[in-house]
Amino acid sequence: ARAAAPALGGAAARAAALTRVAEAVEAAAGELAALAVREVGKPLTEARAEVARTAAIWRYYGQLAYDPTGAVYEPAAGAGLLLTRRRPHGVAALITPWNFPFAIPSWKAAPALAAGNAVVLKPAPEAVACALRLAGIVESALPEGVFTVAPGGAAEGEAAVATADAVSFTGSTATGAAVVRAATARGVPVQAEMGGLNAALVLPDADVEQAAGHIAAAIAGYAGQKCTATSRVVAVGGVLDPLREALAEALRAVPCGDPGDAATVCGPVISEQARARAAAACRSGTVLAGGSAPDGPGWFSAPTLIEDPDEGSALLREEVFGPVAVLLGAASLGEAVRISNGVPHGLVTSLHTADLDTALHGLDRLDTGMIRVNAPTTGVDFHLPFGGAKASGHGPREQGRAALDFYTATRTCTLAPAGGM
């Protein structure tokens, strides 16, 4: 990969190649969506949306290949020229999860390639077929050796981290921490996105029905298997009673079942172990909705809302990665913010209110990398920086123009006059 990287060429060649990838993804959209349904159980409508997002990511970074690679500055004194120049690191190792099998590899690979790096992708074992199909599309548009897939498990991931010039990881907190330690020990740039325990704060002036709909979608969509899924719902003051009823009703109404059905919102979880984790979480308090596995074949878990969780419940400290959330009450906005901030993770928080002052208070006080006002915790935009605080993230942000900064190193250059000017 390192030897192949120069074959990427200049900005025009990289832009054209990434645009060809976007066009090929769009041409194969139906096939790719069906593959995501079969391999990782993603509901069909959501799989189609992911494929469309994947094409948009490649097209976006195709244009960003033309972005400036530096800036010009005025000298502090005397004549001359001061400038900065960004250059690629060489080879970027990308370690990706199974839950967004096309979008996450793409939002890492596309900016890395746009900046001139070669890429080695180590996908999760649960999503190898999706990774290999995406690789077939990407490889057909790029010079040989510039994009490589290394299927496997921990050994392959460790090998990639041990040899690459930059490392981008998305996955569990424990594995991400090990990746960060290994890359940091080698002195190479590393970013790690490591999940969340995301809260939705609902204020007394919120539109309760709208908030309940947003929150239910963020709890149950793709069976809660997103790092941006809502795990905790914090109702402030007198909104607790109406929200309890509206949210329980909204969760009971979520279409569950065959992920190949376009109407399905909550399909199966990824494994038997994942279903067991969700079931264990459901036993830690009062069940307001769901709380059981539906009858029939498949690793299904009903969208569940828990109130009055047991002391020390995993729901309050750990990411379940299933369609389960806990409902909590708070007497004030300040208490709600403390509840939201009082966990090791800090990826995204949603704040539901009609008051601008409250929204601004949330923007200033919430200790998360992303804040969404009157919107679900899920559904972030690919052209904006993505990342979390505390145990949710390490290093520079992903996505948007911020990704180009991660996949390049900046050099400062001073050009002084040759003569006695």
Side-chain angles (χ1 to χ4, degrees), residues 205-216:
D205 62 357
D207 183 324
V208 172
E209 294 299 324
Q210 180 191 65
H214 287 166
I215 295 168

Side-chain angles (χ1 to χ4, degrees), residues 255-274:
C256 301
D258 179 5
D261 184 339
T264 295
V265 172
C266 184
V269 292
I270 192 66
S271 68
E272 187 175 8
Q273 293 77 15

